[in-house]
Amino acid sequence: MQEYKSLNAQQRGSLLESLRKEYAAAKGKGLALDMSRGKPGADQLELSDALRDARWVSPPKSENGQDCRNYGMLDGIPEARRLCAELMGHPAEQVIACGNSSLNLMYDYLAQCMLEGAGGGIPWARQESVKFLCPAPGYDRHFVMLERFGIEMINIPMREQGPDMELVEQYARDESVKGLICVPKYSNPEGKTFSEQVVRRLAMLKPAAKDFRVIWDNAYFVHDLYDESDRLWNVLAAAREYGNEDHFIEVVSFSKISFPGAGIAAIAASPANIAAIKARLNAQTISYDKMNQLRHARFFKDAAGVRAHMQKHAEILRPKFRMVLDILERGLGGTGIAKWNAPRGGYFISLDLPGGCAKRTHALLKEAGVVLTPAGATFPYGKDPEDKNLRIAPTFPPVEELREAAELLTLCARIAALEALAE
Amino acid sequence: MQEYKSLNAQQRGSLLESLRKEYAAAKGKGLALDMSRGKPGADQLELSDALRDARWVSPPKSENGQDCRNYGMLDGIPEARRLCAELMGHPAEQVIACGNSSLNLMYDYLAQCMLEGAGGGIPWARQESVKFLCPAPGYDRHFVMLERFGIEMINIPMREQGPDMELVEQYARDESVKGLICVPKYSNPEGKTFSEQVVRRLAMLKPAAKDFRVIWDNAYFVHDLYDESDRLWNVLAAAREYGNEDHFIEVVSFSKISFPGAGIAAIAASPANIAAIKARLNAQTISYDKMNQLRHARFFKDAAGVRAHMQKHAEILRPKFRMVLDILERGLGGTGIAKWNAPRGGYFISLDLPGGCAKRTHALLKEAGVVLTPAGATFPYGKDPEDKNLRIAPTFPPVEELREAAELLTLCARIAALEALAE
């Protein structure tokens, strides 16, 4: 395809006209397609259906002889802690096996910082100003959460290797900058993995704030699409070398391993942070759902069991990702109006359009019956400063729906770009 | 038995001597008994063992056609909401079916009040002084939670009908008094149920604080021991009549219906409060564990199913309660040194000794190998103003252990009382 900006006004006009006809025809079909959320598809859920069997919780005793049907073991049953710790690469004593949601773990930890402070500091709710660094585009629910806490968000552009570390280091000199929140592996939405150097610079960071905390949302820690996968450096281990282990709070979840919302989650942190979290948990609950922990620990057995299981997910997901990437290439390749990633894992494809075209593309798609994550959602406060980023979630729709939706996406992007060029 | 205070010094001396010999003999046995926590016994847990079967979550779709294996339905699946609502006596729209812990629901709600305020008011964390009324003796974990939030606790004596309402009304004139926390049915530890009049006075209360909230921890809402059970007035319905529905937040849990920590919990509140809770939940999590909600909804089916199940619990618990009550009567009846309740439900028997005798009795028991909830734990800040209340939890130990522990308790109480009289 020809670069759009090399077309003259007349060529662009007639191209736009023909694309609009195509769009009108598509709209006439009365479609109802959804590419908006990072949910596994039904075929992926079936991979874990045997998890429902009674045998995983029979007998109901954990390996230390405790009855998982009764209260107790606030930090999780040993086999679940070990499984999570092995996957995360941390000592089990620094890992708490928890409930069904890592988002909930992050929220609760931040609420604790707000109300009790971090590392002995003044509660954030009582500090004049609390700011967080937000590599963007990023995960919309992180931003919703921070906004709800009234934490001021600062955009940090994502580079190829991860967040712009010059900027991070610069902002960290401000004592009111209390932390950073990120998805360091197969980032949401770009599918980028922080490089070793980025992880190391984060690990050695000496922020002005003594109560600085990085929320390391390792959501896609075992969610590889290919044998050749990205490797994420172990940030807790690296930070330990620099005496900065207290800066990092890592969470993971089985939501996209077994069942979303019905899996288990885990939190890992320094011994001091784990002690603080446990002290709060002791006032918050009596124990997490240990039956579900037992179910998961026995079903998956160990890290190798999880990895084998994730290969089955990858087999289902690879064709979907490939198809969307092919459609993007066919529809937008060479036009010079779009950039996108080909991630090796995670749940998203990120599409960058010319500035000012994301909202328009989203609106056109919506009118034609295709739901996409709202334009802007991938940035703090829902505001994409350039209005250019769209997040594609290819996992949930069946292949045929996904094909139709992706094709419409490239059509709408072309229309939006030509309209913008005509202005 | 003879009233201790009618004995002369010599009689008391020789009685004490013989009791001490008995105690020394018991201590020699090297016992290790636990009457400390309100946990169901193993035989109670077995009642719900079929809940583990795959059939309850097969097929995994809720009645509205949603896949419980995937994200969504933040307010719970319809059948779980309906089940909880039916049991609680509220419209399903005012009930959210949640995760595994009602303590967690209370903690999260209070954290929300601290950080965001209640009913549009200033966040409690930013108010000069926040106080809560605490009917006492009460549930130790309520007090631990409030203390952690830095909420000042005010003791409200429990009368036969519930908290001293004169005092409640008096304190409620203070704007810094933001609420009250209680177990209104089969109270922890006394097993008392608030009378209709007490519920009504609470429902019509016009506190000075516009952001006043009563945490109505209805932990034992279906936990009757006998056919003739206590009836608790529906506080949300009553408060609605007086325009005070926003004052009440009710929570329940299945922890002592199915499996502690692996059941489901629910929160009920006014439409305005439910909206506020959902707005916060939307930032906190994606959904609760709907597979476990489905499991419970199908296993128990409806309120009648839960009630039939609770009768089986009662059959197991009645002999334990009766035995402890018999032992208390045999060991302490007529001595004039002890008062206790004979509850019609719940999980505890509360024992009042002469002032200054609770800690001593606890210490004697501990020395003899019997663990009891720490003296004082049933009061805010762990401080029983008269040092007289002890909480007996008869549910968890097997009958023979319970017998031995209860007998030792009466022995230690007699020793402590005689020592006190000798002073």
Side-chain angles (χ1 to χ4, degrees), chain B residues 215-260:
Chain B
I215 308 296
W216 198 252
D217 180 3
N218 209 349
Y220 307 109
F221 69 137
V222 291
H223 302 62
D224 308 310
L225 284 170
Y226 306 98
D227 290 341
E228 196 192 336
S229 60
D230 290 357
R231 187 198 165 184
L232 177 68
W233 219 248
N234 186 326
V235 78
L236 275 172
R240 200 176 303 134
E241 289 176 38
Y242 301 102
N244 286 337
E245 206 184 357
D246 288 347
H247 290 173
F248 294 88
I249 302 289
E250 179 172 354
V251 299
V252 298
S253 135
F254 276 64
S255 271
K256 291 178 189 97
I257 298 174
S258 61
F259 299 138

Short mmCIF file of all heavy atoms in Angstrom, two decimals, chain B residues 215-260:
data_model
loop_
_atom_site.label_atom_id
_atom_site.label_comp_id
_atom_site.label_asym_id
_atom_site.label_seq_id
_atom_site.Cartn_x
_atom_site.Cartn_y
_atom_site.Cartn_z
N ILE B 215 -22.21 -0.92 61.89
CA ILE B 215 -21.75 -2.16 61.26
C ILE B 215 -22.48 -3.31 61.93
O ILE B 215 -22.23 -3.63 63.09
CB ILE B 215 -20.22 -2.32 61.37
CG1 ILE B 215 -19.49 -1.06 60.88
CG2 ILE B 215 -19.76 -3.56 60.60
CD1 ILE B 215 -19.68 -0.73 59.42
N TRP B 216 -23.42 -3.87 61.20
CA TRP B 216 -24.37 -4.87 61.71
C TRP B 216 -23.84 -6.24 61.29
O TRP B 216 -24.19 -6.76 60.23
CB TRP B 216 -25.72 -4.56 61.05
CG TRP B 216 -26.95 -5.14 61.68
CD1 TRP B 216 -27.72 -6.16 61.17
CD2 TRP B 216 -27.64 -4.69 62.86
NE1 TRP B 216 -28.81 -6.37 61.97
CE2 TRP B 216 -28.79 -5.48 63.02
CE3 TRP B 216 -27.37 -3.69 63.81
CZ2 TRP B 216 -29.69 -5.31 64.08
CZ3 TRP B 216 -28.26 -3.52 64.85
CH2 TRP B 216 -29.39 -4.33 64.99
N ASP B 217 -22.95 -6.77 62.11
CA ASP B 217 -22.26 -8.02 61.77
C ASP B 217 -23.17 -9.19 62.18
O ASP B 217 -23.07 -9.72 63.28
CB ASP B 217 -20.92 -8.07 62.52
CG ASP B 217 -20.14 -9.35 62.21
OD1 ASP B 217 -20.62 -10.16 61.39
OD2 ASP B 217 -19.07 -9.54 62.82
N ASN B 218 -24.02 -9.57 61.25
CA ASN B 218 -25.04 -10.59 61.56
C ASN B 218 -24.45 -12.00 61.38
O ASN B 218 -24.97 -12.84 60.64
CB ASN B 218 -26.26 -10.36 60.67
CG ASN B 218 -27.54 -10.83 61.34
OD1 ASN B 218 -27.50 -11.51 62.37
ND2 ASN B 218 -28.67 -10.48 60.76
N ALA B 219 -23.36 -12.22 62.11
CA ALA B 219 -22.54 -13.43 61.95
C ALA B 219 -23.31 -14.72 62.22
O ALA B 219 -23.01 -15.76 61.64
CB ALA B 219 -21.33 -13.35 62.89
N TYR B 220 -24.30 -14.65 63.12
CA TYR B 220 -25.01 -15.87 63.52
C TYR B 220 -26.47 -15.82 63.12
O TYR B 220 -27.34 -16.31 63.83
CB TYR B 220 -24.82 -16.10 65.03
CG TYR B 220 -23.35 -16.08 65.40
CD1 TYR B 220 -22.80 -15.04 66.11
CD2 TYR B 220 -22.50 -17.08 64.94
CE1 TYR B 220 -21.43 -15.00 66.39
CE2 TYR B 220 -21.14 -17.05 65.20
CZ TYR B 220 -20.62 -16.02 65.92
OH TYR B 220 -19.26 -15.98 66.18
N PHE B 221 -26.71 -15.25 61.95
CA PHE B 221 -28.10 -14.97 61.52
C PHE B 221 -28.94 -16.23 61.35
O PHE B 221 -30.16 -16.18 61.48
CB PHE B 221 -28.11 -14.09 60.27
CG PHE B 221 -27.61 -14.71 58.98
CD1 PHE B 221 -28.29 -14.50 57.79
CD2 PHE B 221 -26.45 -15.47 58.95
CE1 PHE B 221 -27.83 -15.05 56.60
CE2 PHE B 221 -25.98 -16.02 57.76
CZ PHE B 221 -26.68 -15.81 56.58
N VAL B 222 -28.33 -17.36 61.04
CA VAL B 222 -29.10 -18.61 60.91
C VAL B 222 -28.50 -19.70 61.81
O VAL B 222 -28.71 -20.88 61.58
CB VAL B 222 -29.11 -19.10 59.44
CG1 VAL B 222 -29.94 -18.18 58.58
CG2 VAL B 222 -27.69 -19.23 58.89
N HIS B 223 -27.80 -19.27 62.84
CA HIS B 223 -27.03 -20.21 63.65
C HIS B 223 -27.75 -20.51 64.96
O HIS B 223 -27.24 -20.27 66.04
CB HIS B 223 -25.62 -19.66 63.90
CG HIS B 223 -24.87 -19.39 62.63
ND1 HIS B 223 -25.29 -18.47 61.68
CD2 HIS B 223 -23.74 -19.93 62.12
CE1 HIS B 223 -24.44 -18.45 60.67
NE2 HIS B 223 -23.49 -19.33 60.90
N ASP B 224 -28.97 -21.04 64.81
CA ASP B 224 -29.79 -21.39 65.97
C ASP B 224 -29.37 -22.76 66.51
O ASP B 224 -29.00 -23.65 65.76
CB ASP B 224 -31.27 -21.46 65.56
CG ASP B 224 -31.73 -20.18 64.86
OD1 ASP B 224 -31.47 -19.09 65.40
OD2 ASP B 224 -32.31 -20.29 63.75
N LEU B 225 -29.49 -22.91 67.83
CA LEU B 225 -29.21 -24.21 68.44
C LEU B 225 -30.49 -25.01 68.68
O LEU B 225 -30.44 -26.24 68.73
CB LEU B 225 -28.49 -24.02 69.78
CG LEU B 225 -27.00 -23.64 69.71
CD1 LEU B 225 -26.49 -23.24 71.08
CD2 LEU B 225 -26.18 -24.80 69.14
N TYR B 226 -31.60 -24.31 68.82
CA TYR B 226 -32.86 -24.98 69.16
C TYR B 226 -33.97 -24.57 68.21
O TYR B 226 -33.85 -23.56 67.51
CB TYR B 226 -33.26 -24.63 70.60
CG TYR B 226 -32.16 -24.92 71.59
CD1 TYR B 226 -31.32 -23.90 72.03
CD2 TYR B 226 -31.94 -26.22 72.04
CE1 TYR B 226 -30.28 -24.18 72.91
CE2 TYR B 226 -30.90 -26.49 72.91
CZ TYR B 226 -30.07 -25.47 73.34
OH TYR B 226 -29.05 -25.75 74.19
N ASP B 227 -35.04 -25.34 68.21
CA ASP B 227 -36.19 -24.98 67.39
C ASP B 227 -36.74 -23.62 67.83
O ASP B 227 -37.11 -22.80 67.01
CB ASP B 227 -37.29 -26.04 67.50
CG ASP B 227 -36.86 -27.34 66.82
OD1 ASP B 227 -35.92 -27.28 66.00
OD2 ASP B 227 -37.43 -28.39 67.12
N GLU B 228 -36.75 -23.45 69.14
CA GLU B 228 -37.19 -22.15 69.64
C GLU B 228 -36.01 -21.19 69.59
O GLU B 228 -35.12 -21.23 70.44
CB GLU B 228 -37.70 -22.29 71.07
CG GLU B 228 -38.54 -21.09 71.52
CD GLU B 228 -38.79 -21.13 73.02
OE1 GLU B 228 -38.73 -22.22 73.61
OE2 GLU B 228 -39.01 -20.06 73.59
N SER B 229 -36.01 -20.37 68.56
CA SER B 229 -34.83 -19.53 68.33
C SER B 229 -35.15 -18.07 68.60
O SER B 229 -36.30 -17.68 68.68
CB SER B 229 -34.37 -19.71 66.89
OG SER B 229 -35.42 -19.33 66.02
N ASP B 230 -34.09 -17.28 68.75
CA ASP B 230 -34.29 -15.84 68.90
C ASP B 230 -34.69 -15.24 67.56
O ASP B 230 -34.25 -15.70 66.51
CB ASP B 230 -32.99 -15.17 69.37
CG ASP B 230 -32.64 -15.53 70.81
OD1 ASP B 230 -33.45 -16.25 71.44
OD2 ASP B 230 -31.58 -15.11 71.28
N ARG B 231 -35.47 -14.17 67.62
CA ARG B 231 -35.81 -13.47 66.40
C ARG B 231 -35.17 -12.08 66.43
O ARG B 231 -35.35 -11.33 67.38
CB ARG B 231 -37.32 -13.33 66.25
CG ARG B 231 -37.66 -12.76 64.88
CD ARG B 231 -39.06 -12.18 64.80
NE ARG B 231 -39.16 -11.35 63.60
CZ ARG B 231 -40.21 -10.65 63.28
NH1 ARG B 231 -41.29 -10.68 64.05
NH2 ARG B 231 -40.21 -9.92 62.18
N LEU B 232 -34.42 -11.79 65.38
CA LEU B 232 -33.82 -10.45 65.28
C LEU B 232 -34.63 -9.61 64.31
O LEU B 232 -34.89 -10.04 63.18
CB LEU B 232 -32.37 -10.56 64.78
CG LEU B 232 -31.67 -9.20 64.57
CD1 LEU B 232 -31.43 -8.49 65.90
CD2 LEU B 232 -30.36 -9.38 63.80
N TRP B 233 -35.00 -8.43 64.75
CA TRP B 233 -35.73 -7.51 63.91
C TRP B 233 -34.87 -7.08 62.70
O TRP B 233 -33.67 -6.98 62.81
CB TRP B 233 -36.12 -6.29 64.75
CG TRP B 233 -37.50 -5.82 64.41
CD1 TRP B 233 -37.81 -4.65 63.79
CD2 TRP B 233 -38.73 -6.49 64.65
NE1 TRP B 233 -39.18 -4.56 63.64
CE2 TRP B 233 -39.76 -5.68 64.15
CE3 TRP B 233 -39.07 -7.72 65.24
CZ2 TRP B 233 -41.11 -6.03 64.22
CZ3 TRP B 233 -40.41 -8.08 65.31
CH2 TRP B 233 -41.41 -7.24 64.80
N ASN B 234 -35.52 -6.88 61.56
CA ASN B 234 -34.82 -6.48 60.34
C ASN B 234 -34.47 -5.00 60.42
O ASN B 234 -35.33 -4.12 60.24
CB ASN B 234 -35.72 -6.76 59.14
CG ASN B 234 -35.03 -6.51 57.81
OD1 ASN B 234 -34.20 -5.60 57.69
ND2 ASN B 234 -35.36 -7.31 56.82
N VAL B 235 -33.21 -4.72 60.66
CA VAL B 235 -32.84 -3.33 60.97
C VAL B 235 -32.89 -2.43 59.73
O VAL B 235 -33.22 -1.25 59.83
CB VAL B 235 -31.45 -3.27 61.66
CG1 VAL B 235 -30.32 -3.43 60.65
CG2 VAL B 235 -31.31 -1.98 62.45
N LEU B 236 -32.57 -2.97 58.57
CA LEU B 236 -32.62 -2.13 57.36
C LEU B 236 -34.06 -1.73 57.07
O LEU B 236 -34.33 -0.58 56.71
CB LEU B 236 -32.01 -2.87 56.16
CG LEU B 236 -30.49 -2.77 56.00
CD1 LEU B 236 -30.02 -3.69 54.88
CD2 LEU B 236 -30.03 -1.35 55.73
N ALA B 237 -34.96 -2.69 57.21
CA ALA B 237 -36.38 -2.38 56.97
C ALA B 237 -36.89 -1.37 57.99
O ALA B 237 -37.59 -0.41 57.64
CB ALA B 237 -37.20 -3.67 57.03
N ALA B 238 -36.52 -1.57 59.24
CA ALA B 238 -36.96 -0.64 60.28
C ALA B 238 -36.39 0.76 60.04
O ALA B 238 -37.10 1.76 60.14
CB ALA B 238 -36.54 -1.16 61.66
N ALA B 239 -35.13 0.83 59.70
CA ALA B 239 -34.48 2.12 59.50
C ALA B 239 -35.07 2.86 58.30
O ALA B 239 -35.13 4.10 58.28
CB ALA B 239 -32.97 1.93 59.30
N ARG B 240 -35.52 2.10 57.31
CA ARG B 240 -36.13 2.70 56.14
C ARG B 240 -37.35 3.54 56.54
O ARG B 240 -37.54 4.65 56.04
CB ARG B 240 -36.53 1.60 55.14
CG ARG B 240 -36.73 2.09 53.71
CD ARG B 240 -37.04 0.91 52.77
NE ARG B 240 -35.98 -0.09 52.83
CZ ARG B 240 -36.17 -1.42 52.95
NH1 ARG B 240 -37.40 -1.91 53.00
NH2 ARG B 240 -35.15 -2.25 53.01
N GLU B 241 -38.11 3.01 57.49
CA GLU B 241 -39.29 3.75 57.98
C GLU B 241 -38.94 5.12 58.53
O GLU B 241 -39.74 6.05 58.45
CB GLU B 241 -39.98 2.96 59.10
CG GLU B 241 -40.69 1.71 58.67
CD GLU B 241 -41.24 0.96 59.89
OE1 GLU B 241 -41.72 1.63 60.84
OE2 GLU B 241 -41.16 -0.29 59.88
N TYR B 242 -37.75 5.19 59.12
CA TYR B 242 -37.36 6.46 59.75
C TYR B 242 -36.41 7.28 58.86
O TYR B 242 -35.84 8.26 59.32
CB TYR B 242 -36.67 6.18 61.09
CG TYR B 242 -37.55 5.44 62.06
CD1 TYR B 242 -37.41 4.09 62.29
CD2 TYR B 242 -38.57 6.12 62.74
CE1 TYR B 242 -38.23 3.41 63.17
CE2 TYR B 242 -39.40 5.44 63.62
CZ TYR B 242 -39.23 4.09 63.83
OH TYR B 242 -40.05 3.43 64.70
N GLY B 243 -36.26 6.86 57.62
CA GLY B 243 -35.36 7.59 56.72
C GLY B 243 -33.89 7.43 57.10
O GLY B 243 -33.06 8.25 56.74
N ASN B 244 -33.59 6.38 57.84
CA ASN B 244 -32.22 6.18 58.33
C ASN B 244 -31.53 4.97 57.71
O ASN B 244 -30.56 4.45 58.28
CB ASN B 244 -32.24 5.98 59.85
CG ASN B 244 -32.51 7.28 60.58
OD1 ASN B 244 -32.25 8.37 60.04
ND2 ASN B 244 -33.01 7.19 61.80
N GLU B 245 -32.01 4.53 56.56
CA GLU B 245 -31.48 3.29 55.99
C GLU B 245 -29.97 3.38 55.72
O GLU B 245 -29.26 2.39 55.79
CB GLU B 245 -32.23 2.95 54.69
CG GLU B 245 -32.22 1.49 54.36
CD GLU B 245 -32.88 1.19 53.02
OE1 GLU B 245 -33.40 2.12 52.36
OE2 GLU B 245 -32.85 0.01 52.61
N ASP B 246 -29.51 4.60 55.43
CA ASP B 246 -28.08 4.78 55.14
C ASP B 246 -27.19 4.51 56.35
O ASP B 246 -25.97 4.39 56.21
CB ASP B 246 -27.82 6.20 54.64
CG ASP B 246 -28.34 6.40 53.22
OD1 ASP B 246 -28.67 5.40 52.56
OD2 ASP B 246 -28.42 7.57 52.78
N HIS B 247 -27.78 4.45 57.54
CA HIS B 247 -26.95 4.26 58.73
C HIS B 247 -26.44 2.84 58.91
O HIS B 247 -25.60 2.60 59.76
CB HIS B 247 -27.75 4.63 60.00
CG HIS B 247 -28.02 6.09 60.14
ND1 HIS B 247 -28.83 6.60 61.12
CD2 HIS B 247 -27.59 7.15 59.41
CE1 HIS B 247 -28.89 7.91 60.99
NE2 HIS B 247 -28.16 8.28 59.96
N PHE B 248 -27.00 1.89 58.14
CA PHE B 248 -26.72 0.48 58.47
C PHE B 248 -26.03 -0.28 57.34
O PHE B 248 -26.43 -0.20 56.18
CB PHE B 248 -28.02 -0.24 58.85
CG PHE B 248 -28.60 0.30 60.12
CD1 PHE B 248 -29.47 1.39 60.12
CD2 PHE B 248 -28.22 -0.25 61.35
CE1 PHE B 248 -29.96 1.91 61.30
CE2 PHE B 248 -28.71 0.28 62.54
CZ PHE B 248 -29.59 1.36 62.51
N ILE B 249 -25.00 -0.99 57.72
CA ILE B 249 -24.27 -1.86 56.80
C ILE B 249 -24.30 -3.25 57.42
O ILE B 249 -23.75 -3.47 58.50
CB ILE B 249 -22.78 -1.41 56.67
CG1 ILE B 249 -22.68 0.05 56.18
CG2 ILE B 249 -22.00 -2.37 55.77
CD1 ILE B 249 -23.06 0.29 54.75
N GLU B 250 -24.98 -4.17 56.75
CA GLU B 250 -25.10 -5.52 57.31
C GLU B 250 -24.22 -6.50 56.53
O GLU B 250 -24.18 -6.46 55.30
CB GLU B 250 -26.57 -5.98 57.24
CG GLU B 250 -26.76 -7.39 57.79
CD GLU B 250 -28.23 -7.80 57.93
OE1 GLU B 250 -29.12 -6.96 57.70
OE2 GLU B 250 -28.47 -8.98 58.27
N VAL B 251 -23.54 -7.36 57.26
CA VAL B 251 -22.75 -8.42 56.61
C VAL B 251 -23.10 -9.78 57.21
O VAL B 251 -23.47 -9.88 58.38
CB VAL B 251 -21.22 -8.20 56.73
CG1 VAL B 251 -20.80 -6.90 56.05
CG2 VAL B 251 -20.76 -8.22 58.18
N VAL B 252 -23.02 -10.79 56.37
CA VAL B 252 -23.19 -12.18 56.80
C VAL B 252 -22.16 -13.03 56.07
O VAL B 252 -21.54 -12.58 55.10
CB VAL B 252 -24.60 -12.74 56.47
CG1 VAL B 252 -25.68 -11.94 57.19
CG2 VAL B 252 -24.85 -12.76 54.97
N SER B 253 -21.99 -14.24 56.54
CA SER B 253 -21.03 -15.12 55.88
C SER B 253 -21.46 -16.58 56.03
O SER B 253 -22.19 -16.93 56.95
CB SER B 253 -19.64 -14.89 56.48
OG SER B 253 -18.98 -16.09 56.76
N PHE B 254 -21.00 -17.39 55.11
CA PHE B 254 -21.28 -18.83 55.17
C PHE B 254 -20.15 -19.59 55.88
O PHE B 254 -20.13 -20.82 55.84
CB PHE B 254 -21.45 -19.38 53.74
CG PHE B 254 -22.85 -19.21 53.20
CD1 PHE B 254 -23.40 -17.96 52.98
CD2 PHE B 254 -23.65 -20.32 52.92
CE1 PHE B 254 -24.69 -17.79 52.49
CE2 PHE B 254 -24.94 -20.19 52.42
CZ PHE B 254 -25.46 -18.91 52.21
N SER B 255 -19.24 -18.86 56.50
CA SER B 255 -18.08 -19.53 57.10
C SER B 255 -18.49 -20.59 58.11
O SER B 255 -17.84 -21.61 58.24
CB SER B 255 -17.15 -18.51 57.75
OG SER B 255 -16.21 -18.04 56.80
N LYS B 256 -19.56 -20.33 58.86
CA LYS B 256 -20.01 -21.34 59.82
C LYS B 256 -21.29 -22.01 59.34
O LYS B 256 -22.07 -22.54 60.13
CB LYS B 256 -20.15 -20.71 61.20
CG LYS B 256 -18.79 -20.34 61.77
CD LYS B 256 -18.89 -19.68 63.12
CE LYS B 256 -17.54 -19.16 63.54
NZ LYS B 256 -17.38 -17.72 63.24
N ILE B 257 -21.49 -21.98 58.02
CA ILE B 257 -22.56 -22.77 57.39
C ILE B 257 -21.91 -23.88 56.56
O ILE B 257 -22.20 -25.04 56.72
CB ILE B 257 -23.44 -21.86 56.50
CG1 ILE B 257 -24.12 -20.76 57.33
CG2 ILE B 257 -24.47 -22.71 55.74
CD1 ILE B 257 -24.90 -19.73 56.53
N SER B 258 -20.95 -23.46 55.69
CA SER B 258 -20.20 -24.46 54.93
C SER B 258 -18.79 -24.58 55.53
O SER B 258 -18.62 -25.22 56.56
CB SER B 258 -20.18 -24.11 53.44
OG SER B 258 -19.55 -22.86 53.21
N PHE B 259 -17.81 -23.93 54.88
CA PHE B 259 -16.42 -24.04 55.36
C PHE B 259 -15.86 -22.68 55.78
O PHE B 259 -15.85 -21.75 54.97
CB PHE B 259 -15.53 -24.60 54.24
CG PHE B 259 -15.89 -25.97 53.76
CD1 PHE B 259 -15.88 -26.27 52.40
CD2 PHE B 259 -16.22 -26.99 54.65
CE1 PHE B 259 -16.18 -27.53 51.93
CE2 PHE B 259 -16.54 -28.26 54.19
CZ PHE B 259 -16.53 -28.54 52.82
N PRO B 260 -15.35 -22.56 56.98
CA PRO B 260 -14.74 -21.29 57.40
C PRO B 260 -13.63 -20.86 56.45
O PRO B 260 -12.72 -21.65 56.17
CB PRO B 260 -14.17 -21.62 58.78
CG PRO B 260 -15.04 -22.71 59.29
CD PRO B 260 -15.36 -23.54 58.08
#
